[in-house]
Amino acid sequence: MRKFTPRDLTLSAMVAALYFVLCYFGNIFQLTFGPVQVRLGEALTVLPFLFPATAPGLVVGCLLTNVLSPYGPIDMVVGTLATAIAAFATMKMPRWYLAGLPPIAANALLLPPMWAWAEASALNDAFWAAYGLNLWTFVVGEAVACYVLGTVLLRALPRVRYFRPMIPAAHL
């Protein structure tokens, strides 16, 4: 494990702030916590593929965003855990086009049951109906954030001269 440099710490803090601001902005349009959740900040969850130092910033940004969540403290724990798992798994992806899979998978496994429980409060038919609906609407929203917006980031950032020295040679 390598040490965090001041540049890494600054990059991580900037990603945390950007994640929060993008999600807060998206909340104005009911995208962040809406029926089809397209968190604009989730596009940043592909960044650990290029910049491993951004993973802690994503976790902090998600935690700050989930303070606003209508699902309360459980979303602060489970949602932040899902983002942490996704961020650290994204660092291990071998190809850029796979970088969106960990955020989609981690969030699809952990969040829809939480939302379904909040809506149904029991393991009954309403829970399973809510779970199925939440699973598909979530996967669609996360795929838009990670594969549409995130892919734009992954393809554009290596072309920016400032960022090139921070990107591992294997990803250029």
Side-chain angles (χ1 to χ4, degrees):
M1 176 102 183
R2 71 181 189 87
K3 289 186 175 185
F4 257 44
T5 64
R7 178 183 259 183
D8 292 339
L9 187 58
T10 303
L11 183 62
S12 186
M14 289 176 66
V15 166
L18 188 58
Y19 185 102
F20 177 77
V21 167
L22 286 171
C23 289
Y24 187 76
F25 177 75
N27 198 32
I28 295 170
F29 302 103
Q30 298 299 311
L31 294 172
T32 302
F33 301 110
V36 177
Q37 182 176 341
V38 181
R39 281 191 179 184
L40 301 176
E42 283 291 305
L44 302 176
T45 59
V46 299
L47 288 180
F49 177 76
L50 294 176
F51 310 106
T54 61
L58 290 169
V59 174
V60 171
C62 182
L63 176 64
L64 293 173
T65 299
N66 286 340
V67 168
L68 304 172
S69 173
Y71 296 102
I74 192 160
D75 197 17
M76 290 173 64
V77 173
V78 177
T80 304
L81 176 65
T83 297
I85 292 168
F88 290 102
T90 299
M91 288 190 307
K92 306 295 184 196
M93 290 292 105
R95 303 276 183 257
W96 69 267
Y97 52 84
L98 298 174
L101 287 180
I104 294 169
N107 287 306
L109 289 173
L110 294 173
L111 297 181
M114 177 193 69
W115 296 333
W117 185 264
E119 293 167 6
S121 300
L123 285 174
N124 54 23
D125 290 339
F127 171 86
W128 293 109
Y131 173 76
L133 178 65
N134 288 329
L135 176 66
W136 289 111
T137 59
F138 182 80
V139 168
V140 167
E142 193 73 8
V144 167
C146 292
Y147 273 109
V148 176
L149 301 174
T151 298
V152 170
L153 279 174
L154 285 178
R155 302 309 292 161
L157 288 176
R159 295 181 180 152
V160 177
R161 189 174 317 169
Y162 177 79
F163 292 117
R164 280 195 172 173
M166 293 184 273
I167 299 172
H171 297 313
L172 286 176

